[in-house]
């Protein structure tokens, strides 16, 4: 491995999982850069830090495979992120290829941790604990206590001054492009029987509006044109600040930030998606009329065992209220099939909802037991072969329905943020072109389809109006101009 000009202080960050992990990696990168560490590609690094995902079994396998691959580089290998936090010492004992397993409490002193590792000092991995117990107080009282809890402290942005309005999250962008996530909050107060996330992400804590606005302005200065608001449950934003409808106030303010052309909200809980929030998301200029709704199922018996609310009729009514304001609004959701106790009648009810709901993007997941969750102890487990058959059946249906939804958009006009142009330079510099890719208002990055653009003068980072002329699965084909 080449000798590091930074004196053996070069670090590569590999991020797995969701957009919330992307923000965490950029905060880690900001802290390290502020301490003099050089960000480097994996093959040139002294330390490879893998930000792991611990959400489902496949994600955990991907995290292990990535850590094993990193160990072949000759660099020190460090596991951080959800899987590292969730398993701690157990992961360290079972994976000697990782030189250190760090938890969320280590983030504030990450530079010190890596320096100590390079100096040959052993790191004692943490023993996991239920992070919900770290803030066992009422939501409205949490903000005063949050900065005293490890993992919730905020520090200044990298590449920019400390704003007068207060402390900021240290962050450095790891990838370019005109779209970036903005983290609304950390943690979750819901107790879904299948989900382990609250136990290792902790209770719900919102970031203050002035902090988010400052970071939005900073991102705009970095060339970002679309903000994707992320959290474990965006519809809960503000409840710990004393205003459960604060998101309705924040969205127009974010949309008004100079150079930000679009704000998108991800991960709304249907039970908390109130009429005022629907109206703001569906009708505010600069806010994408896009509803990422966590339905998970639509059969009432299954939803109750999941410790969730709703039904096919209630969910259809919610979608009707959205489309009454914005007929072309985008809707996406994820669903779990094969949940303990699920019957063929439950599956038929879910099929009915998917057919009548006309969603733009659908993710189907096959249920698997997660350590420490209530559902792992449920009786009535669906046999593996039967669950797999239901998964395949629902996946085929979802693909057919979302392809039809895309085809229904042919002839409509869409506003598209150009994200790439054929022939742009290797360094990613904007270039004029006649063919490009982007996303319209109903297409979120990574999880939804794309819009293939044809037209003169396409430039990365610009919004164009285009007419949809065709579709390919969930992707649209559109021509720029009237």
């Amino acid at each position: 491995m080449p000798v590091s000009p930074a004196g053996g202080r070069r670090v590569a960050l590999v991020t797995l999982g969701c957009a919330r992990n992307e923000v965490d990696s950029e905060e880690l990168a900001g802290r390290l850069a502020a301490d003099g560490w050089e960000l480097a590609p994996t093959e040139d690094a002294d330390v490879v830090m893998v930000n792991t995902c611990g959400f489902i079994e496949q994600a955990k396998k991907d995290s292990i495979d990535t850590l094993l691959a990193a160990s072949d580089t000759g660099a020190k290998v460090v596991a951080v992120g959800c899987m590292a936090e969730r398993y701690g010492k157990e992961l360290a004992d079972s994976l000697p290829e990782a030189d250190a397993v760090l938890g969320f409490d280590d983030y504030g002193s990450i530079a010190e941790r890596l320096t100590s590792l390079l100096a040959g000092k052993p790191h004692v991995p943490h023993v996991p604990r239920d992070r919900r117990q770290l803030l066992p107080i009422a939501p409205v009282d949490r903000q005063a206590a949050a900065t005293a809890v490890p993992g919730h402290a905020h520090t200044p942005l990298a590449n920019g001054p400390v704003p007068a309005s207060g402390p900021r999250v240290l962050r450095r962008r790891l990838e370019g492009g005109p779209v970036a996530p903005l983290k609304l909050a950390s943690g979750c107060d819901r107790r879904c029987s299948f989900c382990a996330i609250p136990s290792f992400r902790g209770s719900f804590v919102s970031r203050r509006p002035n902090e988010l606005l400052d970071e939005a302005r900073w991102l705009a200065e970095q060339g970002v044109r679309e903000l994707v608001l992320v959290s474990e449950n965006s519809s809960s934003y503000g409840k710990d600040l004393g205003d459960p409808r604060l998101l309705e106030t924040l969205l127009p303010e974010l949309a008004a930030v100079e150079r930000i052309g679009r704000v998108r909200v991800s991960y709304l809980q249907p039970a908390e998606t109130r009429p005022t929030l629907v109206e703001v998301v569906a009708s505010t200029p600069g806010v994408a009329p896009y509803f990422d709704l966590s339905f998970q199922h639509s059969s009432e018996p299954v939803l109750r065992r999941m410790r969730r609310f709703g039904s096919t009729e209630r969910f259809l009514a919610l979608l009707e209220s959205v489309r009454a304001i914005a007929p072309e609004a985008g809707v996406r959701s994820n669903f779990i099939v094969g949940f303990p106790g699920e019957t063929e009648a439950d599956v038929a009810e879910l099929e009915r909802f998917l057919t009548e709901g006309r969603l733009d993007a659908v993710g189907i997941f096959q249920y698997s037991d997660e350590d420490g969750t209530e559902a792992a102890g449920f009786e009535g487990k669906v046999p593996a072969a039967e669950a797999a058959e239901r998964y395949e059946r629902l996946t085929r249906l979802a693909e057919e329905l979302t392809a039809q939804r895309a085809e229904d958009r042919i002839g409509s006009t869409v506003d598209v943020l150009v994200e790439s142009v054929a022939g742009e330079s290797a360094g990613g510099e904007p270039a004029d072109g006649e063919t490009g890719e982007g996303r319209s208002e109903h297409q979120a990055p990574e999880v939804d389809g794309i819009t293939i653009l044809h037209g003169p003068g396409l430039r990365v980072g610009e919004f164009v109006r285009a007419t949809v002329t065709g579709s390919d699965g969930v992707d649209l084909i559109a021509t720029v101009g009237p």
Side-chain angles (χ1 to χ4, degrees), residues 28 101-111 113 123-124 126 150:
L28 289 168
V101 174
L102 305 181
F104 295 151
D105 292 354
D106 294 304
Y107 283 16
S109 53
I110 190 66
R113 295 289 184 271
H123 174 76
V124 178
H126 66 283

Side-chain angles (χ1 to χ4, degrees), residues 361-374:
V362 173
I364 304 293
F365 294 88
Q366 184 175 328
Y367 172 81
S368 62
D369 288 336
E370 283 294 312
D371 298 335
T373 62
E374 183 183 5

Side-chain angles (χ1 to χ4, degrees), residues 119-431:
K121 299 178 182 178
H123 174 76
V124 178
H126 66 283
V127 175
R129 52 186 170 167
D130 188 338
R131 297 190 73 87
R132 291 171 294 190
Q133 304 306 315
L134 300 181
L135 286 173
I137 56 179
V140 75
D141 297 322
R142 286 181 190 159
Q143 280 292 318
T147 54
V149 176
H152 287 294
H154 293 164
T155 49
L157 272 170
N159 299 340
V162 179
S165 55
R168 296 290 297 107
V169 172
L170 191 67
R171 182 173 179 182
R172 173 168 295 204
R173 294 201 74 195
L174 295 174
E175 296 182 6
V179 182
L182 178 62
K183 186 163 61 177
L184 277 177
S186 298
C188 183
D189 284 341
R190 301 189 74 88
R191 295 295 181 264
C192 301
S193 63
F194 58 84
C195 185
I197 290 175
S199 66
F200 56 85
R201 276 289 183 181
S203 298
F204 188 89
V205 178
S206 302
R207 296 177 63 194
R208 293 189 177 276
N210 61 349
E211 188 177 311
L212 292 163
L213 288 164
D214 286 336
E215 187 164 327
R217 296 184 189 103
W218 178 81
L219 287 167
E221 292 171 359
Q222 308 300 308
V224 171
R225 297 297 171 261
E226 177 176 326
L227 300 173
V228 181
L229 307 186
V230 299
S231 72
E232 277 72 28
N233 177 10
S234 297
S235 43
S236 279
Y237 177 74
K239 69 177 186 180
D240 53 321
L241 297 174
D243 185 355
R245 297 187 179 187
L246 191 56
L247 187 57
E248 287 93 313
T249 303
L250 176 66
L251 284 170
E253 294 178 331
L254 288 171
V257 170
E258 188 176 358
R259 294 192 293 274
I260 294 298
R262 187 154 70 199
V263 178
R264 185 185 304 276
V265 186
S266 66
Y267 213 83
L268 299 171
Q269 284 287 344
E272 298 179 24
T273 305
R274 49 211 171 262
T276 52
L277 181 57
V278 168
E279 183 175 2
V280 168
V281 174
S283 64
T284 302
V287 176
Y290 174 85
F291 291 81
D292 176 11
L293 293 160
S294 173
F295 290 125
Q296 303 298 352
H297 213 285
S298 73
S299 169
E300 286 192 77
V302 176
L303 287 167
R304 298 306 173 268
R305 285 194 294 276
M306 289 179 167
R307 295 201 179 278
R308 298 176 67 85
F309 301 97
S311 65
T312 295
E313 300 306 329
R314 289 185 179 181
F315 292 163
L316 289 174
L318 174 58
L319 296 181
E320 184 179 350
S321 72
V322 166
R323 289 166 177 153
I325 302 171
E328 298 302 317
V331 182
R332 86 164 325 272
S333 191
N334 294 322
F335 300 88
I336 297 172
V337 295
F339 192 78
E342 182 189 64
T343 66
E344 277 296 329
D346 296 323
V347 177
E349 186 69 357
L350 177 54
E351 289 172 327
R352 181 170 79 90
F353 173 69
L354 289 174
T355 302
E356 296 183 23
R358 297 166 45 238
L359 278 62
D360 294 277
V362 173
I364 304 293
F365 294 88
Q366 184 175 328
Y367 172 81
S368 62
D369 288 336
E370 283 294 312
D371 298 335
T373 62
E374 183 183 5
F378 282 178
E379 297 180 352
K381 297 291 172 63
V382 178
E386 190 172 345
E389 187 278 328
R390 292 176 184 178
Y391 166 79
E392 295 294 339
R393 188 199 327 165
L394 269 294
T395 297
R396 287 194 301 270
L397 177 63
E399 289 174 350
E400 293 171 6
L401 293 171
T402 53
Q404 180 60 55
R405 179 67 173 154
E407 188 175 334
D408 291 343
R409 292 186 182 274
I410 294 175
S412 67
T413 300
V414 291
D415 292 316
V416 182
L417 174 58
V418 182
E419 296 186 31
S420 66
V421 174
E424 71 177 341
S425 69
E429 294 299 321

Side-chain angles (χ1 to χ4, degrees), residues 1-2 4 10-16 38-51 65-78 174-175:
M1 187 169 63
S4 168
R10 294 184 301 187
V11 60
L13 287 103
V14 180
T15 305
L16 305 174
E38 177 187 345
L39 303 179
T42 301
E43 61 271 16
D44 296 330
D46 303 295
V47 178
V48 177
M49 188 157 56
V50 180
N51 192 346
D65 290 345
T66 303
L67 288 163
L68 291 174
S71 68
D72 293 335
T73 65
K76 296 288 188 182
V77 177
V78 176
L174 295 174
E175 296 182 6

